[in-house]
Amino acid sequence: MSMRYGLYARSVTVLLAAMLITLAVIVLILQRQDGMRDEMLAHSRDSLHGLVFSRLRAQGEGQAERLAASLVNPLYYFDLDAIGAAIAQVQRQPDVDYVIVYSAAGEVIHDGSRDIATYGQVMDDVFARDAVAADAVRVQSDDRVFDVAAPVRIGEEKLGGVRIGYSLDSVRADENRATAVLRDSLQEIGRRHLQWVLLLLAALVLLGVAMSVIVQRALVRPIRLLAEAAREIEAGNFSAEVPASRRNDEVGDLMRGFRRMGESIVRHDRDIRRMAYTDILTGLANRLAFREILDQRMIQSQGAARRLALLFTDIDDFKRVNDTLGHDAGDEVLVSFAERIRNTVEREGGDGALLARFGGDEFVILVEATDGDIRERASRLAARLVEELGRPIAIEQRQVFLGISIGVTLFPEDASGATMLMKNADIAMYQAKLAGKNCYRFYSRAMDQAVERRVRMEQDLRGAWERGELSLVYQPVFRMADNRLLGAEALLRWKHPTQGMVAPSIFIEVAEQSGLIETLGPAVLRAACIDATRWHRELGHDELFVAVNVSPRQLRAGNLARQIEDVLRETGMAPRRLHLELTETAVIGDELQISSLLTRLRESGVQVWLDDFGTGFSGLSHLRRVPIDGVKIDRSFVADVLRDPDDLALTTAIIAMAHSLGMTVVAEGVEQEGQFEVLRERGCDLAQGYWLGHPMSSQELARLIG
């Protein structure tokens, strides 16, 4: 008897088939759910990774550009202390692994350490070559570090660059934690839905379809919306709409958390942009903000009737405030000056005027006007600024007189691009400095030629000593009581191969500003001591001294005492026969350090003289804290002692005050017999000048001695 395939069996078969189909559908749904979870994790991880690296890149580029801008002057003057201070501020920031300042040849100038252990070494890491060759900000990275390099330029010249390395360890750890939290949340959601699906395992295909719809609406759609929002944020649209949810489950928590994260990113982006575009000290727009606005204004002015004027301002003698009163007082001066400039710009700058602090003691102003009014408006504003900032500022119960130098350039008359416009304004400001400071100058094409001449002079001055173009002459110094020759001042002269004799006032300033004085100074000292030793050996003159000028840059280099001791030991010259002449402003720049240095020199027997006395802003009472042996009255006072009672009275007072402090007095620029007699009657000790003797070669002075 054969078995029938009856209704029961069919029902069981249909039921089993339905269960198998449902199970298969459930399996497919679960597989799809796992795939969506992995897809969401991948999207979220990639989005978070891209977002973090985008922010890190933006932060790194901005930091590198700001640091590069702040290093222009220190790197140009090779001021390692200022470079170290700038690096230290960056190194204190989170995740900064290293900060390296390097030369144009890729040699390390400063690595942020106290002793600069890698100084002069050529960078040889994997990023070094591209960083040195970069003409703009360059970003490189590997699994460990995120390297941002930016060149340091002054005009068209590349001085070197700076590299900032950010450690990626904390970034990677944060990404892993965020991914782990997201994975755990999704796994928890998956488990809960799996339990729900297992309870409805006996449901029919329609129930499975309904369940898939529920899953689609409850899970897949929110995750897809979050992924879309994440992609918008990754693309830089931080204000992208993140879907809101009132759901009280993990997905709702995830959506609300993602929304809060987006809002937090927007706030941080706003704060970062505010910090990036605002000067912290003065509250004005900074260099970055000014450059962006300048670019926009220049584009808007193309073909329009409105023109632009750029005023580049620099506070005169601001370094004197920092050196004498401290950097806190310097910041107070900057804030006060910024307020005066802001008020003046608001009154005289017109609509659309923009004021920004460009860095240090430099401010820039952008004004707009029609074709015929722009020069007049710029002139009126510059003149008012000179007037307002020429008034004294009360700092620490003292009145400080500074002033301001302004360079003015016009767009599009003087330049077609922002970089050239800024360069022209800087050139005009430099010409205002040369014109006597506390004034303004408009840019002209001739100024470019003056800058080119200075650069060419600096290039020619390099190696001039080795080529024999530089030489020493000596101006004799006489004792006024008996008109006896006691010594000579060593003076540097430059005979250019094509230009002939170059005035010392010109090339000494170039040497000081370029740092060449740190090479020329020791060479001059050694040559003068060699000549003085020869005078003693050949002529037997035991008391004849030689006076050598020391620049402020040499004085602050820190190794002057060792250089002098080495030269005296090499030449065999007695220390008492060497006189060092220092300027007044150099001595009072850092009294504690200078006093220690001068005390060491005087203890060895070297004498210290204060040159050009009376032209600075201190008095003998102030200089009692600095060990000096004598002062040299500036030639500007000596020139008028016969016809100006005020100069005679001032000169007499200087002599009396110096003698009361046990100091010797030397008169410079004695060119008439009457001047000599008047100064001798007032008790002046020594004198030099054309009436007594012109500067002469070492051989001519030897004949005069003999």
Side-chain angles (χ1 to χ4, degrees), residues 213-235:
V213 173
I214 294 174
V215 172
Q216 169 68 19
R217 292 183 176 179
L219 183 61
V220 178
R221 184 172 178 272
I223 293 175
R224 184 177 293 113
L225 292 175
L226 291 178
E228 292 174 356
R231 282 193 292 269
E232 287 289 324
I233 295 175
E234 179 185 5

Side-chain angles (χ1 to χ4, degrees), residues 80 109-119:
L80 293 179
I109 295 176
H110 210 300
D111 58 8
S113 62
R114 182 180 297 275
D115 55 356
I116 318 179
T118 61
Y119 177 83

Side-chain angles (χ1 to χ4, degrees), residues 305-365:
R306 298 190 67 79
R307 292 293 182 262
L308 303 177
L310 179 64
L311 287 75
F312 196 103
T313 72
D314 183 87
I315 302 176
D316 297 330
D317 302 320
F318 177 72
K319 186 176 182 299
R320 187 180 69 184
V321 177
N322 283 336
D323 290 342
T324 58
L325 302 180
H327 288 277
D328 290 340
D331 289 344
E332 189 176 346
V333 169
L334 286 175
V335 172
S336 179
F337 263 65
E339 186 62 26
R340 289 190 184 183
I341 296 174
R342 180 191 290 112
N343 294 336
T344 305
V345 170
E346 289 177 354
R347 293 194 306 266
E348 304 291 343
D351 296 336
L354 173 65
L355 168 64
R357 183 188 176 197
F358 212 61
D361 59 345
E362 297 174 340
F363 296 86
V364 287
I365 306 165

Side-chain angles (χ1 to χ4, degrees), residues 521-537:
V524 169
L525 176 65
R526 182 173 286 101
C529 290
I530 291 174
D531 287 343
T533 303
R534 186 169 59 251
W535 300 334
H536 169 66
R537 184 177 62 251

Side-chain angles (χ1 to χ4, degrees), residues 305-489:
R306 298 190 67 79
R307 292 293 182 262
L308 303 177
L310 179 64
L311 287 75
F312 196 103
T313 72
D314 183 87
I315 302 176
D316 297 330
D317 302 320
F318 177 72
K319 186 176 182 299
R320 187 180 69 184
V321 177
N322 283 336
D323 290 342
T324 58
L325 302 180
H327 288 277
D328 290 340
D331 289 344
E332 189 176 346
V333 169
L334 286 175
V335 172
S336 179
F337 263 65
E339 186 62 26
R340 289 190 184 183
I341 296 174
R342 180 191 290 112
N343 294 336
T344 305
V345 170
E346 289 177 354
R347 293 194 306 266
E348 304 291 343
D351 296 336
L354 173 65
L355 168 64
R357 183 188 176 197
F358 212 61
D361 59 345
E362 297 174 340
F363 296 86
V364 287
I365 306 165
L366 184 66
V367 296
E368 296 181 357
T370 57
D371 289 347
D373 297 336
I374 187 63
R375 178 176 288 270
E376 180 182 352
R377 173 166 292 179
S379 298
R380 186 169 58 250
L381 175 58
R384 185 57 61 86
L385 286 171
V386 170
E387 177 184 349
E388 289 295 325
L389 275 68
R391 295 187 290 106
I393 295 179
I395 301 295
E396 296 184 357
Q397 299 180 348
R398 296 179 59 178
Q399 282 194 332
V400 177
F401 293 84
L402 294 176
I404 191 169
S405 296
I406 305 174
V408 187
T409 185
L410 305 178
F411 173 81
E413 289 87 341
D414 297 334
S416 58
T419 301
M420 185 59 66
L421 197 68
M422 293 298 302
K423 177 185 176 182
N424 292 344
D426 190 30
I427 291 174
M429 185 274 294
Y430 180 72
Q431 294 301 316
K433 293 280 190 185
L434 295 180
K437 303 180 181 180
N438 200 32
C439 62
Y440 68 93
R441 289 292 183 271
F442 275 84
Y443 169 80
S444 66
R445 302 293 181 186
M447 292 180 179
D448 280 332
Q449 299 174 0
V451 172
E452 290 177 1
R453 285 196 299 270
R454 186 197 177 283
V455 173
R456 190 160 49 248
M457 177 173 290
E458 179 181 336
Q459 294 173 346
D460 293 344
L461 190 57
R462 294 184 184 275
W465 181 270
E466 291 76 9
R467 295 191 299 269
E469 299 172 12
L470 291 168
S471 61
L472 291 183
V473 295
Y474 298 89
Q475 184 170 33
V477 179
F478 290 86
R479 186 165 57 197
M480 303 189 75
D482 54 5
N483 204 22
R484 179 184 179 186
L485 177 65
L486 289 187
E489 179 182 0

Side-chain angles (χ1 to χ4, degrees), residues 120-290:
Q121 298 181 10
V122 178
M123 301 184 295
D124 58 357
D125 58 275
V126 296
F127 302 139
R129 178 176 297 178
D130 290 342
V132 173
D135 291 328
V137 178
R138 187 176 186 88
V139 177
Q140 307 176 77
S141 65
D142 56 18
D143 293 335
R144 187 189 66 82
V145 70
F146 190 88
D147 185 274
V148 183
V152 178
R153 294 180 179 276
I154 180 167
E156 297 298 326
E157 182 182 359
K158 183 176 180 181
L159 303 179
V162 61
R163 292 174 56 192
I164 305 176
Y166 296 88
S167 173
L168 297 179
D169 293 337
S170 61
V171 173
R172 190 175 294 106
D174 291 340
E175 290 181 357
N176 292 337
R177 283 194 295 271
T179 303
V181 171
L182 183 59
R183 183 186 298 108
D184 293 341
S185 179
L186 292 177
Q187 287 177 348
E188 178 64 22
I189 294 172
R191 283 194 296 269
R192 290 180 179 237
H193 282 90
L194 178 59
Q195 294 173 1
W196 178 253
V197 171
L198 292 176
L199 292 175
L200 301 177
L201 185 59
L204 299 174
V205 175
L206 293 177
L207 186 58
V209 172
M211 196 58 167
S212 65
V213 173
I214 294 174
V215 172
Q216 169 68 19
R217 292 183 176 179
L219 183 61
V220 178
R221 184 172 178 272
I223 293 175
R224 184 177 293 113
L225 292 175
L226 291 178
E228 292 174 356
R231 282 193 292 269
E232 287 289 324
I233 295 175
E234 179 185 5
N237 182 18
F238 299 136
S239 59
E241 182 66 24
V242 178
S245 176
R246 297 182 180 179
R247 295 173 54 172
N248 191 24
D249 57 8
E250 289 80 357
V251 175
D253 292 341
L254 177 63
M255 296 180 69
R256 286 188 290 273
F258 200 93
R259 185 181 184 88
R260 288 194 296 271
M261 183 181 69
E263 294 172 349
S264 177
I265 291 174
V266 171
R267 288 195 302 272
H268 281 83
D269 177 69
R270 185 169 56 248
D271 293 341
I272 291 173
R273 290 182 66 84
R274 184 172 61 251
M275 293 173 60
Y277 287 93
T278 304
D279 178 64
I280 299 176
L281 178 64
T282 63
L284 300 174
N286 63 7
R287 177 193 296 260
L288 179 60
F290 183 82

